[in-house]
Amino acid sequence: MEEYKNANMRIINSGPLAPFRKWASKWSLWPCHFITSCCGVELAHAFAAGYDGERLGTLNMGISRQSNYIIIEGTITRKMARALQFVWGQMPDPKFVNVIGACGERGGIFWNSYNITHPSDIVPVDFFIPGCPITPEALLRGVRATQDKIVGIDRKTIEFKRVELPFEKQLEERMVPTSPKLFAPTPLIKVDVKREVDWGKELEDNLKNKLEGLYESITITGKSSIAIKTTQENLKEVAQKLREQMKLDHVKSVNVIEVPHERKFIVEYIISSYTEEELMPVLVTVFVEIGLKDPKIESLTSIWESANYSEREMHEFFGVLFDGNKGMGKKFILAPDTPDLPLRKEFKIPEERYVFEKDMPLDELMVPIEPPKDLYIPISEEFIEEAYDNDEIVVPIGPHHAGSGHLRVTFRIKGDIIVEAIPEPGFVHRSMEKLAENRLYIQNVPLFERLAINDPVNMNLGYVRTLENALGIEVPERAQYLRTIMAELSRIEAFYYDSGIFSLFFGHTTGFMYSMAIREMVIEVLMGMTGSRSGPSFLVPGGIRRDISDDVLKLTDNLTFAIHKRMKKFEDIFVYNPVTIARAKGVGVLTKADAIRCGIVGPFLRASGVNYDIRKIAPYEAYDKLDWEVTTGDDGDCLGRFLGRLAEIKESVRIIKQAVDAVRSIKGPILSADILGEYKEAASDIKGNFFRVFGNLVLPKGEWTTITEAGRGTLLFSIISDGESNVPYRVRVISPCWMNLRGFMEALKGARYADFWAVYGSFGYFPPEADR
Amino acid sequence: MIDINAVISMMMNNQVDIPLLQPLLKPMLEMPLVGYLIALVLWKPFFVLILMPGFATLGIMLLILPWIERKMVGRMQWRVGPREISPHTRGIIQLLADSLRFLFQEVIIHKDAHRSYFLQFPFLYFIPVLLPLLFINAGTAGNPLVPIVSDYGLQLMVALICLMPVFILGVGWASNNRFAFIGTVREAFLYFAYEIPFIIVVLAMIVLYGTSNTVGVVNAQSGVWWGIIQNPLAALTFFIAMVMATARLPFEIPEADQEVSFGPFVEYSGIAFGLAYVMGYEKMYVLSALMTMLFLGGGSGPVIPGLGELSYAIWFVLKTLIVLVVMANLRGVYPRYRLDQALKIGWGAMLILALVAVAWSLVMGVIL
Amino acid sequence: MKKVATPEYDIKDKLKYHVSALSTAAKEVVMPLNITTHYPRERRKWPDCFRGYILFDPERCISCFECSFVCPANAIWMKEAPSGRYYPTLDYGKCIFCHFCVDSCPGGALRSTKIHDVAYKNMDEMFTHTEEMIEPPEIIREDEGYVEYEIDKEDLTLKRTKGKDKLIVDVAPSQGVPMVSLCIDRGSCIACKVCEKVCESGAVSSLLDEAKMIIKMKIDSEKCTGCGLCVKECSMQILRLVRRE
Ligand code: SF4
Ligand code: SF4
Ligand code: SF4
Ligand code: SF4
């Protein structure tokens, strides 16, 4: 690796023309489009209106052949490592590499994940930039450092001053404290723990009637949730009945829980309805228990298409065979060299360590990963031949492609029409579910925030609400409002990120810049509140970390007025631009029936005409106290999806305005007394007591499922706790983008090749969120 | 044996007249070798072709135009564009750095490419781009500044311009890459969509002016009676066709980087890509020059005192620049059309507009 | 419920919107609403609560390990100082700047700075030892001014000020609730001495009960800093952290 770095510098320094060479290379570092992970969001900011990296001659343009600079944005998964190596190889010499974001360095929050690699093992890296996500300024510092390096200035960007520690009297024999994590040795895992709530008697009877003889037990497991235990043989029939007679028309989650000491798997489907208004907030869990050996179960894809990808995913993670699903036995999310069945309990990931020992290699704990040798494309020869026989062309797009993000889709195109689109997600699969099983509950707050760094607060909220529901904590009113404000700001952020990408996909850079500029405003406010640009981790079970000052609230209030000016400009130049309308109207239509069948969520579902918004059907935080409307549409095309979201965030601005007005008159704590226990002083600022308050959270036994309306749709967290450990037994997270992937592919059928980007952009597909 | 003196005197009879420089040039012309050189430089055809608005201007334009584009689009986008390279001159030398970097960078010829064609085409491309400049008339009515006077000047220019896409097809073919292939096919489709209205519009102007001699064309637009006023429809169609021909947004379809990652040029690196990159700008320049000549009265404009005939050339370049800037700035305003939509515009609206323009010309011809 | 309909353009609308797009663009060229911060020549002024590089004050550290335990990225490893006490080190190759550690620190030994724009040449440098975290580090600064985003009811405007922004903010160090360790069931103590071994303040000592000839542990509440390690490690789970009254 060092050799390569030196070789590049040698090229720059060689020959009589060296000064010109240096000068030209310095001012013309063109990074290639190699978006690898969530740090890409801040990269976008660094090259957008707020910071404009182009000032430094760094034009973010060109693909590998035309560029001389890679900025590796965070996580490089095993799959992506291949692409990285390949792209780097394609670039002409001399070339430079920067890594931004902690997870590209020593793993960051994913340091013990089974699927990530160290980019520095794969390509020679010139500079590492810390942060998660990095700030745009830090990224530009990296550019400056690279420029300095090219012209031969060798200086450290940070100089630490060493201060020797005070020497007191030596202590005697010392014991190093043990890990704070507690694991129950033989945890009792139960999905259907009965809970007394004043709800659901009717539904229970109804279900019992309809499923006579097909179930083993039906238990009410909480408000709006009910669990049906059945057997392997009856599963399909139960599903059929539920679908036809109860109108439970989509699957929200497919989950497998392994209980090795009882030698069983629990396979569960969480289903709900988009058509029956009463059932909308209800989560029905249908589960079966199967043996550990040769686990096999009948696939329910024929009944619920929305279960398709999740079944494939579970198959890959646990080895449970879903008989009848076409994707069985094929790689979907994982790379060929990822360990098999990584989510099984017997697969162990490295443990944390708390004490530094001299001469210890720093990355000793990482799973060692060989640089990959081949470029893995999971498309069979026959597929390609078949396509050629039919006079079609096979085009793989991504993961290194200016318009693909970190997703690969393989197309079969006839003429200009897409015949088939095969998705290949998993380029940013960072194994959050596995990691969450090995961390304290509170440590998972920032972990799950990394699902979507451009919609951070909603991701936080989804997880934190699950904990609160389990612990039965009531959030103080002031915190409720503040959380609502932040969640809506985050929704605006998410929309503008997606709209920026949408416009970029249409080649409209101005739309991108305007979107990012609006985001920059929102970020300014969120940063004032939380202290972080894109990774606030500000919501904690029971409230928020610290109170928000009136100054910042005033700023927020101002924002709700000021934002309109720039929003209007954005609409004038991009949204209502006749070319945009021509490109997006009538393209990628998903009918209502299709949308429900594929289990689309969020604004995209609403754009197809389903009136389903969790903020309305099962209100949380302060949403029921504020005046706002759900937006729906009938067209279900790209334009409808996009305009629907635009209208939705206008509602968001309204919500924020009202919430700010309301919160000014509500004084009080921002952390619930229930969770603070004896640390009552921390009611308005957790500083100093954070670990004591949250370090030892233990959830009551059972499964806790909560749905939240994130920026791009339903975010589902399902946590299984054994009631003893202070780490979750299993966390299942279904992110909106993951659910939308099926519909995204459906919308592509019959579209034109160039429409892929319209559909992609309109779904706001954000791969880190989908891959988890 | 060529009679040097005859040649010189021929040159001397056809000099660009710059009063300001006269006192300076007079003594120099007397000198033996320097004199010949100056005579050559100031010889009108040479001056137009090589200096202004010919190759030299083109070269400068290539360095400055992308900068102007980046700066203006940057402004439009609430940011600044290239700057830190020379903060006091607002980063005007940015393109110099970019092109030098391209020059010094490795050129990769991947193993599936057709080696010789892969390298030849970007260079060959200069032929159809530069040859039309032979017929350009940068002068004004009654005062032509034109390298070659030909009765078929316009036709020849159009023919050469129509040759350009062939080279792009070649580039795409030699690359042997999926995206290059798709991009090439897109280019080919688009080619037919804009070429026909383009030719018809030029025809309309020929009809209107009653000549296809570039000198005649400019002569027909004396005063402010420019082509754009005589036949605005034709000007509009020509402009759209021009945007399409240069694959600028909203018709940046063959090179759409989000869709086909620069299409035909996807495999080019180093100086080869640098050439491919400037190709587009060269084409823009030539077409804008043609537009200036056809619709904006060539070099007509008030004589700048002291500059004599040079002022026409300056006006010509200025007008060309304005057309270029307008065209370049479309990048900030429009997303791109889909191929089929662009084809529909080409074969539908533009064809109709072009035909109406011909009718207009005929009517105008009758009236005048 | 609000229905959003997608617009249908006829030729008139098309013209209208072409004109509006073009005129918006033209307006921006003439009078741009520029929002660019010219980093590195100027910096954005971040709010004082900004979460950046972390400084450490050994005087205040009670070696409670909480920062290390809470760190979601396991970026903090405790290192033994010459005195035998453990102090945090920080690996910026892992740190995600969540500042859970800062919020956890009961002694207020950790505090935030606004330093965040740093590039390292190799990963080993990213590992910051305790000794390096005490004094504010120096970073390359090319800035001559700073930019503030000001949002009023009309629009976002940039306020530019000459001079260097201060990156080290003086915030009052946080103080957790002062606690002290207390044995709630002396009878059950089996004198395994775990508490003594784990205590870094020398607050626990063993005491021989002459009468019964058994060893009992004694916690000196004056010396106890309330780090809670003994409570955590106690084999009989008979220690509790209680408020220091
Ligand atoms: S988790 Fe995301 S934001 Fe954090 S360093 Fe990795 S890529 Fe960047
Ligand atoms: S800021 Fe967060 S990630 Fe960094 S050391 Fe502290 S707790 Fe760990
Ligand atoms: S006092 Fe603060 S810095 Fe010291 S170990 Fe405890 S949490 Fe860490
Ligand atoms: S007695 Fe216990 S709580 Fe007190 S300082 Fe020692 S280890 Fe910490």
Side-chain angles (χ1 to χ4, degrees), chain A residues 627-661:
Chain A
D627 171 34
W628 61 283
E629 276 175 302
V630 178
T631 50
T632 61
D634 285 326
D635 301 316
D637 57 356
C638 291
L639 190 61
R641 281 189 284 270
F642 185 67
L643 290 182
R645 278 185 88 183
L646 185 66
E648 187 176 301
I649 59 135
K650 285 192 177 149
E651 287 295 303
S652 293
V653 175
R654 251 180 80 199
I655 295 177
I656 296 170
K657 203 178 290 183
Q658 295 171 41
V660 171
D661 285 344

Side-chain angles (χ1 to χ4, degrees), chain B residues 37-181:
Chain B
L37 213 67
I38 287 177
L40 177 69
V41 167
L42 288 184
W43 184 40
K44 269 182 189 165
F46 184 91
F47 185 83
V48 172
L49 186 64
I50 305 293
L51 289 183
M52 208 161 169
F55 301 154
T57 316
L58 173 62
I60 294 168
M61 281 288 183
L62 288 184
L63 282 181
I64 286 193
L65 188 61
W67 174 77
I68 295 180
E69 177 188 339
R70 281 163 74 171
K71 276 307 242 198
M72 283 190 74
V73 172
R75 233 176 127 78
M76 208 181 277
Q77 298 175 342
W78 305 340
R79 55 191 183 95
V80 272
R83 167 142 196 197
E84 300 299 308
I85 185 168
S86 59
H88 299 299
T89 49
R90 312 276 147 170
I92 197 162
I93 46 177
Q94 179 63 49
L95 258 286
L96 198 62
D98 283 341
S99 41
L100 267 180
R101 199 259 297 167
F102 275 134
L103 187 66
F104 289 133
Q105 213 161 18
E106 182 187 6
V107 177
I108 298 173
I109 305 166
H110 65 120
K111 65 173 187 286
D112 294 337
H114 191 294
R115 219 186 143 78
S116 55
Y117 288 161
F118 187 79
L119 281 183
Q120 275 167 23
F121 277 123
F123 291 92
L124 285 179
Y125 188 73
F126 276 95
I127 299 170
V129 166
L130 297 183
L131 285 187
L133 290 176
L134 281 176
F135 306 100
I136 216 84
N137 183 358
T140 174
N143 211 339
L145 282 174
V146 57
I148 296 177
V149 183
S150 155
D151 275 346
Y152 301 102
L154 267 182
Q155 285 92 326
L156 280 168
M157 281 179 89
V158 170
L160 283 166
I161 287 167
C162 292
L163 212 60
M164 292 181 192
V166 176
F167 288 85
I168 297 188
L169 298 191
V171 160
W173 177 80
S175 295
N176 196 5
N177 173 301
R178 271 194 183 74
F179 294 124
F181 170 71

Side-chain angles (χ1 to χ4, degrees), chain B residues 137 139-144 209 211 213-223:
Chain B
N137 183 358
T140 174
N143 211 339
Y209 300 141
T211 169
N213 190 328
T214 48
V215 178
V217 164
V218 173
N219 285 348
Q221 309 176 56
S222 53

Side-chain angles (χ1 to χ4, degrees), chain A residues 461-665:
Chain A
L461 192 58
Y463 178 68
V464 164
R465 277 189 63 227
T466 317
L467 298 186
E468 282 160 4
N469 284 356
L471 295 165
I473 296 172
E474 191 64 37
V475 179
E477 204 182 0
R478 184 172 166 88
Q480 278 187 2
Y481 276 99
L482 291 174
R483 279 156 72 147
T484 312
I485 294 172
M486 282 191 255
E488 290 310 309
L489 284 175
S490 168
R491 193 179 311 278
I492 298 176
E493 266 193 41
F495 169 75
Y496 275 108
Y497 181 77
D498 292 346
S499 71
I501 300 299
F502 188 53
S503 22
L504 207 56
F505 279 173
F506 281 170
H508 197 276
T509 38
T510 310
F512 169 77
M513 297 293 170
Y514 283 15
S515 300
M516 288 297 157
I518 298 172
R519 270 196 66 142
E520 198 76 56
M521 287 166 79
V522 179
I523 282 183
E524 175 72 20
V525 171
L526 261 183
M527 189 162 60
M529 291 181 177
T530 66
S532 169
R533 276 179 66 94
S534 299
S537 301
F538 201 65
L539 272 44
V540 285
I544 52 178
R545 271 162 76 174
R546 61 183 55 86
D547 208 350
I548 286 164
S549 70
D550 285 341
D551 289 347
V552 180
L553 285 177
K554 174 135 198 318
L555 198 71
T556 320
D557 193 34
N558 286 348
L559 175 78
T560 57
F561 292 98
I563 199 170
H564 290 291
K565 179 169 177 189
R566 286 177 194 251
M567 257 158 100
K568 172 87 177 38
K569 297 234 176 223
F570 173 65
E571 283 162 30
D572 280 347
I573 208 158
F574 176 68
V575 182
Y576 295 114
N577 194 317
V579 186
T580 313
I581 302 283
R583 278 300 300 270
K585 195 165 168 64
V587 166
V589 180
L590 268 187
T591 59
K592 188 169 173 176
D594 270 342
I596 294 175
R597 189 171 62 86
C598 297
I600 305 288
V601 294
F604 317 112
L605 177 74
R606 295 195 277 279
S608 290
V610 183
N611 182 8
Y612 179 92
D613 190 321
I614 300 164
R615 292 174 293 168
K616 269 278 191 255
I617 59 160
Y620 53 92
E621 304 311 321
Y623 285 114
D624 50 350
K625 297 172 203 148
L626 303 166
D627 171 34
W628 61 283
E629 276 175 302
V630 178
T631 50
T632 61
D634 285 326
D635 301 316
D637 57 356
C638 291
L639 190 61
R641 281 189 284 270
F642 185 67
L643 290 182
R645 278 185 88 183
L646 185 66
E648 187 176 301
I649 59 135
K650 285 192 177 149
E651 287 295 303
S652 293
V653 175
R654 251 180 80 199
I655 295 177
I656 296 170
K657 203 178 290 183
Q658 295 171 41
V660 171
D661 285 344
V663 83
R664 280 176 171 166
S665 58

